[in-house]
Amino acid sequence: MHARALVLFSGGQDSTTCLAWALDRYREVETIGFDYGQRHAIELDVRPLVLDRLRARFPGWAGRLGEDHFVTMRELGQLSRTALTGTAEIRMTDKGLPNTFVPGRNLLFFTYAAAIAYRRDIHVLVGGMCETDYSGYPDCRDDTLKAMQVALSLGMDRRYVVETPLMWLDKAQTWQLAQELGGDEFVNLIRTETHTCYLGERATAHDWGVGCGTCPACQLRAAGWTAWKRGASSRPVQPATGARD
């Protein structure tokens, strides 16, 4: 139904997998990244390198990969005061959420992305939000993204489709999806080039990638890798279409 998509792309495992999913599905794909004062700002250096590697190693996707947009919204980090935008120790709060939750982050991401998509005449927005293997963030929930799709479509008077292909996949299935999309070479690109670690650690290499190995993001990625290598997700994966339905 649509030929073009805009992917929320951080340079991490999930957004890189979603980018490949979009490149496999749409004729033209653009990307957008955000500087919101994140503690792991190293991801801002990693993301253009990942895009370059994709273009160099996957010529079938290179022709579909279009413009990369970059938005600065550092005020969000100043407002939120979380462990993801400051140096606080990562822990659970008395509200039942980890203190890495940045209030309003994904809502703002999609609002800015929709504004750029409006100018670029793009109707599909793709994000790596997941309700299966995540930290309980309310702005990653399927209901939130469905409501966001409605609000953006009404507020901008055009039909947007918010795609969240990882919504019902665990991390092992995310590795499996990457394998199905781009084979071993794409899995290795994710493993060696992308960044997930909340602490911004890039000096220590593991089988599953680079990171501190102890923060929640690293632990989740490592557990998914181990489960996938053990064959927990050897069958083909059916990605969700998120808020489309």
Side-chain angles (χ1 to χ4, degrees), residues 11-104:
Q13 175 186 4
D14 291 347
S15 67
T16 302
T17 303
C18 286
L19 177 55
W21 177 87
L23 289 167
D24 196 57
R25 184 183 180 97
Y26 297 102
R27 188 184 66 214
E28 183 178 347
V29 178
E30 299 186 6
T31 51
I32 182 171
F34 303 92
D35 177 1
Y36 59 95
Q38 56 266 56
R39 182 175 181 176
H40 55 309
I42 186 68
E43 69 177 3
L44 304 180
D45 298 325
V46 167
R47 60 184 303 280
L49 298 178
V50 175
L51 292 174
D52 288 345
R53 301 295 189 275
L54 278 172
R55 288 189 177 94
R57 300 180 190 177
F58 299 90
W61 289 342
R64 300 183 181 189
L65 187 54
E67 187 172 345
D68 181 41
H69 309 273
F70 189 74
V71 177
T72 299
M73 50 169 64
R74 297 184 67 85
E75 294 83 3
L76 181 60
Q78 297 170 5
L79 292 171
S80 58
R81 294 184 180 180
T82 72
L84 209 59
T85 55
T87 57
E89 180 183 356
I90 297 174
R91 58 176 179 80
M92 293 296 295
T93 69
D94 55 7
K95 296 180 181 180
L97 288 172
N99 64 346
T100 51
F101 172 58
V102 182

Side-chain angles (χ1 to χ4, degrees), residues 187-200:
V187 169
N188 286 332
L189 184 151
I190 291 175
R191 191 174 60 83
T192 60
E193 304 289 349
T194 66
H195 182 84
T196 300
C197 177
Y198 281 160
L199 302 185

Side-chain angles (χ1 to χ4, degrees), residues 116-212:
I116 290 177
Y118 188 96
R119 172 170 57 86
R120 303 287 294 170
D121 195 29
I122 296 173
H123 293 259
V124 179
L125 308 175
V126 183
M129 296 76 191
C130 172
E131 200 171 305
T132 302
D133 241 1
Y134 77 131
S135 300
Y137 300 160
D139 60 354
C140 287
R141 295 171 186 160
D142 190 50
D143 285 348
T144 301
L145 277 300
K146 285 178 177 175
M148 196 70 195
Q149 174 178 282
V150 173
L152 292 172
S153 297
L154 291 174
M156 299 194 187
D157 196 25
R158 68 161 51 187
R159 170 65 170 165
Y160 283 108
V161 176
V162 174
E163 295 276 25
T164 53
L166 307 184
M167 181 57 69
W168 308 115
L169 305 185
D170 60 27
K171 270 294 185 287
Q173 291 172 314
T174 300
W175 283 111
Q176 176 65 22
L177 177 59
Q179 172 73 37
E180 293 170 13
L181 289 166
D184 291 342
E185 187 169 5
F186 184 52
V187 169
N188 286 332
L189 184 151
I190 291 175
R191 191 174 60 83
T192 60
E193 304 289 349
T194 66
H195 182 84
T196 300
C197 177
Y198 281 160
L199 302 185
E201 171 64 53
R202 294 291 295 173
T204 306
H206 309 268
D207 289 343
W208 46 265
V210 180
C212 70

